Amino acid sequence: MLLLAVFAYYPLYGWVYAFFDYTPPIPLSASEFVGFKWFHSLVENQVKIDQLMQVIWNTFGISGLGILFSWLPMIFAIFLTEIKAVRFRKFIQTVTTLPNFISWVLVYSLAFSMFSSEGMVNGFLHMTGLTDSPTMFLQSSEHVWWTMWAWATWKTLGWSAILYIAAIMGIDESLYEAAYVDGATRMQVIRHVVLPSMMPTYFVLLMLQIASFLNNGLEQYFVFQNAFNKDTIQVLDLYVYNLAMGGGSYSVSVAISMLKSVISVVLLFSVNGLSKMLRGEGIV
Amino acid sequence: MSDNQTSLTPNTREIDLTKKTVKMQVSATDKIISTIIYILFSLFAFICVYPFYSIIINTISANDLSAKGEIIFWPKGIHFQNYIDVFKIPGLGNAFMISLGRTVIGTLLTVGASAFLGFMFAQEDMWGKKFWYRFTIITMFFNAGIIPWYLTMRSLHLTDNFLAYILPSVVAPFFIILVKTFVEATPKELQQAASIDGAGIFTIFYKVILPISKPILATVAIFSAVNQWNSFQDTLLLVTDSKLYSLQFILYNYINQASSLSTMVNLQNAGSTAMATLATKQTSTSIRMTVTIIVVAPILLVYPIFQRFFVKGIIIGAVKG
C-alpha cells in the first residue's frame, strides 16, 4: 500500500521536472537550451500580442463574471434554509446538486440537444411562430462569456451552496433566539445574524477563487468551442491546449503555462497574505 | 468552526434543518418574500431537471417528430429502436467496458490510497508528517499546466496506456483531507487501546480504522467513481488508440460527427429485415441523444441513492477546507 502511494507520487514528481525543463522540443529531451527565446516569441510581433491579449481578456472576462457572482451560492443557501417545508427543501437540494455530477461533455450534449439549430428550443420557437430561422445559440461569438458563465452556474450552484448550508448549520441557536426576542423580522435576521456568520466562509472561498483566477480549466471551453466562437471563448488553458495539440508548438505552450503557474502562485500567496492580514488566518 | 467539528463524529448529525424553523412573526412582506423564494427555487430546480427529462422523452419518441423539435413535455410515438440501434454501433461496447473498468479499478485504488494516507496523516508521530502533508496538499493549488503534464505522461510511456486513466488519480489530496479529518474526529482511545494490545500500525489501520471509517470511505468512493466515469480530458490528451476510448470521449465524437453515424446505422438497418420507418429512422439528433442517455444513466441511477452521502462528505471536508 505504501509502495503504491509512493509510486503514485511519481507523476507529481514528473511535473516538477517538466516545470524546470523550459523548452522540451518535440522529439528529444537532449535539446538545445534556448533560454527565454519562447517567452520573447510570445511578444515579438503585433499579431501575437493581439492574440495573447484577447486570450487574457477572455480569461479575465470569464473569471471576472465568476467572481462578480460569487455571492450567488451564499444567497442560494440562505434562502434555501429559509424554506420551511422540509420535503420541498430536500427536493430542491437534491435536484439542484445533480448537474454537478455530470461531465462537461454531457453538459455540452444537453446544451447541443436543446440549443443547436435543430435542437428543441429552436423547434419550439419555430413551432410557436416566434422565429422563422433557427437562432444560433451555440455558434455565435456574442455573449459567449455570459453563456459560459450561465452553464458553469447551472452546473455548480446547488453544489457550492452546500458549504454555506454547512456554515448556516453551525450558527449558534441562541443568536437566532436573541434576534426574535428583539422582534427582528425575517429579513433582519438574515441581514444581522445569518449574513455576518457567512462572511468567513465567503471570504475563504472568494480568496481561493481569486487565487485560481487564471485557471479556468480546459474541459468546459474545449467542448463548447467551435469555429464561430473561438475568438471569445479561448481562455488561457484552452489557448495553451490549442497551441500545443493543434499547432504543435509545445515549447510556447509550456512557456505560457509556466508564466501562468508562476502568476497563479504569486496570486495565491498574495491572497493568502491578504487573508492573514484581514482575518488573522491564511488559507493554505 | 470548532462548534462544527464536535458534531462531525461519525453518525451524529444528519443534514437536517428542521431545528432552525423557529416560529416568528409572519408579516405580509414575509409572505411575499416566501412566495418569491418558492417560485425562484422551483424554477431553478426545473431548469436543472428538464434537460435530462427532455432528452429521455426525445429518445423514446418518434424520431421524425423529435427532429422537428415537437417533443416538449411528453413523449409521442413511443419506441425503443434508438437504443437497440445505438448499441449496434461498433466501439460503443468496448468504450463502455473501458469506462467501467477505469471506474472500478480507479475507485478501488483511490479509496485504498486515500484511506491509508489519510490515516497516516492523522497520526501524531508520523515521520516527516508536516512536510509530506504539505507536499500532498500543495498539488491542489498548484500544477504545471497540461502540456508539461502531457509531456511527463509521454515520457513515462503512459500515453495509449490504460494505466494512464488510473495512476494519476490514485493520490487525491482532497480525499486524503476528508479521511484525515474523519479519523482525527474519532476517539483517540480506540487506537491507543489497540496499540497497548500490541497491534502494529498496519493492524490498527486495518482492524480499527477501516471498519469505523466506512461512511467517509463511501463518500470518497462515490466521488472518485463519478470522477472516473466523467473523465474526458485524459482520453483527449493521452489516447489515440480507439480501443482505449472512454464513453465520454465517444459521446463527444458523436456530438461532432453524428450525421455520418446516423447514415451508417440506417444503412446497416436497411440491409437487415427490420424496415426503418420514418419514426424509427436514425437522425443525427436521435443518435446523439441516445448516447447521451447511455452515458448519463449510471449517474442518474446512483445519484438519488447516494446524494445524502455526498452532502455529508462535503460538509466534513468543508470543516477543514
Side-chain angles (χ1 to χ4, degrees), chain A residues 63 89 119 151-152 155 170 172 177 196 259 263-264 266-267:
Chain A
S63 291
R89 195 173 55 215
W151 282 111
K155 195 172 185 298
D172 196 344
E177 278 153 22
L259 284 178
I263 297 172
S264 296
V266 172
L267 265 177

Side-chain angles (χ1 to χ4, degrees), chain A residues 109-147:
Chain A
S109 182
L110 295 178
F112 197 94
S113 306
M114 310 282 292
F115 293 105
S116 74
S117 53
E118 50 189 73
M120 264 165 283
V121 172
N122 270 314
F124 183 72
L125 289 178
H126 187 75
M127 214 170 65
T128 50
L130 286 171
T131 52
D132 293 329
S133 57
T135 314
M136 299 293 180
F137 290 105
L138 296 170
Q139 288 123 302
S140 134
S141 61
E142 282 167 56
H143 319 302
V144 170
W145 295 359
W146 285 100
T147 47

Side-chain angles (χ1 to χ4, degrees), chain B residues 172-184:
Chain B
F174 178 68
F175 298 154
I176 294 173
I177 297 179
L178 285 186
V179 179
K180 174 177 180 276
T181 313
F182 185 90
V183 173
E184 278 170 352

Side-chain angles (χ1 to χ4, degrees), chain A residues 62-71 149 202 206 209-211 213:
Chain A
I62 293 176
S63 291
L65 277 183
I67 288 172
L68 200 64
F69 289 99
S70 56
W71 45 269
W149 170 79
Y202 178 66
L206 185 66
Q209 207 175 348
I210 294 173
F213 195 75

